[in-house]
Amino acid sequence: MTSQNPVSRSTRSAAIVGAGQTGVTAALGLLDAGFTVTLYSDRDQRSLRDDVPATGTALEFGVTQQAELALGLDTYTARAPRHTGLSVRIAGPENAELIAFDGDFDGYVGVAVDTRLKADERLTAFQERGGVFVVGQVGLDRLDAIAAENDLTLVATGRGGLSELFPVDDARTVYDAPQRSLLTVTVTGLGFGPDVFAHRGPAGGAHSGFSIFAEHGEAWWGPYLHKDAGPSWAFLGWARPGGEWDRRFSAADSAESAHRVVTELYRDHIDWDLPEVSRTEVIADDPHSWLKGAVRPVVRVGVGRTASGHVVGALGDTAVAYDPIAGQGAQSGLIQAQRLVAAAAVHEGAFDEAWLSSRYAEFLAARSDAASRATRLFLSDPELGPVAEQFFAAAAVDPRFASALVGLLHEPRPILGIETAADAAAYITRVTGQSAADLLARFEPAGRFTRSAYAGALTSA
């Protein structure tokens, strides 16, 4: 099936395979840059919106919003509930309550938008402006023909399927297996005012809540814009493989059961947030408002060749798959798309292997290498243990460093070059203007986190 509203714009043609958020953003950007663009999908537009789950929470911060603005696209900051900071709780062995801090976002906000909504609206705009949308399976043979017909071909089909066309970059790929199993569910029933999660800090429901357990995994709540329900909340949990949380997550088989798993998890482990969690309700009209699985973080070579030798570029999760713990996947994909569109718009030569390789190398240096390292920090990677130990303790003592630490989700490049405890101390001193040793000497374990007294709970669970 083909949907089009043809407009003759250019002698240059581009094809994008994959109509998720990143693929359709690149397609719309190239179309507006003067290319004739064909977008391929294995699902029609209605199915893309209503028959699949959202691929994560797609939380985006200032740098990514700037990339969308550069493409003339809606950043959703006027429509989605805003994240103005991140409230963190860290529990050690035997769930000892150790570290609590609130980090404010400095000069930017975060928004988490249903990827199905964003892709759907951009796909509509793409077709209205003259883009060609083709529905059907694209395997290696068809990709070969598509690449032969177009000046520029990009693959944005996610972590499966055509991603195997792009070899794994062993030097940049640290893990040989997923580091967490994942569970996510989107819910309603809570507002975003200061009375919600007030025990975590004065910002209340304007801050995301992140809880880290050394023995179990991590749990996150944050404001969200659902495609149908509108302003809502999303839970995303990460379980260490083989542990108790992993077994709980594996039992989920519907939105209702996922919600029950989450509520019981908070009852048994994260009771300081339980009243708010107990207030939440499943989005009954969206059976795909939940998702479970696992992601192996992988960096691939950004350029591949089809059977006949035609060059194609990897885009988004096809190029780099992140564990979603630090929210870097959607952000990096959109940044990569914007950078490619900007470069293609002014390029006058062939979109050959040298050009695609150079653009990919620039993206890795500008975003992906740092984003991968920030993700490892929040995954409690043992190699970064000496850095994390100082960073999280410093955040509990000094609000300036708390803001800098959560700011790595927005702009991760400061994490590059911080390899040792001495490097971490130097960065703490640079951010706070005081000796890291003196600051860390003031750290004291939390002892017991403040519990919620939220009065809106539906049940006491």
Side-chain angles (χ1 to χ4, degrees):
M1 184 181 76
T2 301
S3 175
Q4 59 183 329
N5 185 13
V7 175
S8 178
R9 286 171 170 255
S10 171
T11 58
R12 299 194 298 175
S13 62
I16 312 290
V17 182
Q21 173 182 252
T22 301
V24 73
T25 297
L28 186 55
L30 288 168
L31 185 70
D32 289 345
F35 284 72
T36 297
V37 183
T38 305
L39 177 65
Y40 294 85
S41 170
D42 61 353
R43 292 178 178 270
D44 63 26
Q45 185 170 0
R46 187 210 60 77
S47 182
L48 287 168
R49 190 185 193 281
D50 295 330
D51 294 343
V52 295
T55 53
T57 55
L59 179 57
E60 298 168 13
F61 300 103
V63 173
T64 310
Q65 293 158 19
Q66 291 165 11
E68 291 184 309
L69 282 172
L71 291 170
L73 300 176
D74 185 358
T75 65
Y76 293 83
T77 54
R79 298 162 59 185
R82 297 183 175 194
H83 300 242
T84 61
L86 183 64
S87 175
V88 179
R89 303 292 181 267
I90 302 178
E94 300 182 355
N95 292 356
E97 298 172 17
L98 300 178
I99 292 176
F101 65 85
D102 252 356
D104 292 322
F105 298 149
D106 186 9
Y108 59 93
V109 298
V111 289
V113 180
D114 195 325
T115 53
R116 300 168 295 181
L117 172 66
K118 186 176 287 190
D120 180 63
E121 293 186 350
R122 291 181 182 175
L123 181 53
T124 295
F126 172 75
Q127 293 173 91
E128 289 175 345
R129 298 178 195 178
V132 179
F133 181 51
V134 178
V135 179
Q137 292 288 338
V138 176
L140 292 174
D141 289 344
R142 192 175 186 194
L143 179 64
D144 189 36
I146 290 169
E149 297 169 355
N150 289 277
D151 299 301
L152 173 63
T153 301
L154 301 172
V155 177
T157 53
R159 295 181 290 271
L162 296 175
S163 66
E164 298 302 321
L165 190 65
F166 306 93
V168 173
D169 183 340
D170 292 325
R172 285 185 163 89
T173 299
V174 176
Y175 305 112
D176 60 5
Q179 299 301 290
R180 300 287 190 272
S181 62
L182 311 172
L183 179 67
T184 182
V185 63
T186 306
V187 296
T188 57
L190 282 177
F192 310 97
D195 60 322
V196 177
F197 295 115
H199 60 293
R200 281 182 171 260
H207 278 198
S208 309
F210 190 46
S211 299
I212 301 171
F213 286 76
E215 296 178 336
H216 301 296
E218 300 82 16
W220 176 88
W221 280 99
Y224 187 74
L225 184 67
H226 182 268
K227 68 182 180 73
D228 301 316
S232 50
W233 283 82
F235 166 83
L236 185 56
W238 299 262
R240 290 181 179 272
E244 178 196 345
W245 287 19
D246 190 18
R247 292 189 291 274
R248 290 177 184 243
F249 287 7
S250 67
D253 59 8
S254 65
E256 290 77 12
S257 66
H259 183 249
R260 184 167 57 253
V261 167
V262 172
T263 303
E264 292 173 354
L265 183 76
Y266 274 72
R267 179 196 66 196
D268 297 340
H269 289 277
I270 319 175
D271 66 310
W272 51 85
D273 291 340
L274 181 59
E276 280 84 351
V277 174
S278 297
R279 179 64 177 85
T280 61
E281 302 172 327
V282 168
I283 300 174
D285 293 338
D286 181 11
H288 304 290
S289 59
W290 76 288
L291 181 67
K292 70 178 181 180
V295 177
R296 178 197 172 194
V298 172
V299 181
R300 296 185 179 274
V301 175
V303 182
R305 285 190 177 273
T306 65
S308 300
H310 302 294
V311 175
V312 295
L315 182 63
D317 287 348
T318 304
V320 184
Y322 302 87
D323 187 291
I325 197 166
Q328 296 304 304
Q331 297 197 86
S332 286
L334 291 168
I335 290 168
Q336 184 190 14
Q338 186 271 324
R339 293 177 66 90
L340 269 172
V341 168
V346 298
H347 182 63
E348 296 182 353
F351 298 103
D352 55 14
E353 184 171 1
W355 186 86
L356 280 169
S357 295
S358 294
R359 302 293 77 73
Y360 190 58
E362 291 167 359
F363 162 68
L364 292 173
R367 182 73 188 192
S368 183
D369 287 345
S372 294
R373 191 164 179 81
T375 299
R376 292 175 62 196
L377 177 72
F378 282 90
L379 274 173
S380 303
D381 188 309
E383 183 180 314
L384 294 174
V387 175
E389 182 179 350
Q390 292 194 58
F391 275 14
F392 287 105
V397 176
D398 192 303
R400 290 169 297 182
F401 195 77
S403 182
L405 178 55
V406 301
L408 295 175
L409 306 176
H410 153 70
E411 174 49 88
R413 281 182 292 183
I415 195 66
L416 293 177
I418 301 178
E419 306 282 347
T420 66
D423 296 334
Y427 182 65
I428 291 168
T429 297
R430 190 158 64 249
V431 169
T432 65
Q434 53 187 312
S435 163
D438 291 344
L439 187 151
L440 291 169
R442 301 201 304 271
F443 170 75
E444 294 182 359
R448 180 172 171 81
F449 302 143
T450 303
R451 265 56 182 173
S452 172
Y454 181 61
L458 291 175
T459 72
S460 60

